[in-house]
Amino acid sequence: ALFVRCTTLGHLILSLYVDCVIVLGDNNDGIESLKRDLAHHFSMKNFVTSRFLGILFIYLFNYFEDY
């Protein structure tokens, strides 16, 4: 499942695959808030990775603001 939330504060993407949740976004406060909200309802572990399902994720600071 894929959930997308777009606001004036930024974009959040939550991807759910079996028992794995991936949270991506361009607003760190929004990501942390979502993670806290989810942790109230579900048992969660926080893994920081740059690869998932064979996909390499690269962090680009202010990527959209530079263009």
Side-chain angles (χ1 to χ4, degrees):
L2 181 68
F3 302 93
V4 179
R5 180 177 183 191
C6 299
T7 68
T8 57
L9 299 176
H11 303 84
L12 284 177
I13 300 171
L14 184 144
S15 176
L16 176 63
Y17 180 75
V18 185
D19 64 348
C20 184
V21 175
I22 299 175
V23 178
L24 305 167
D26 58 2
N27 180 334
N28 285 336
D29 292 335
I31 292 171
E32 292 302 319
S33 176
L34 175 60
K35 287 169 44 179
R36 279 192 306 272
D37 290 344
L38 290 172
H40 285 297
H41 300 283
F42 306 100
S43 174
M44 295 177 52
K45 295 179 183 175
N46 189 24
F47 294 107
V48 178
T49 184
S50 60
R51 288 192 177 271
F52 178 73
L53 295 176
I55 300 170
L56 174 63
F57 293 91
I58 300 173
Y59 175 75
L60 298 174
F61 183 71
N62 290 333
Y63 177 77
F64 293 108
E65 294 176 10
D66 292 340
Y67 291 96

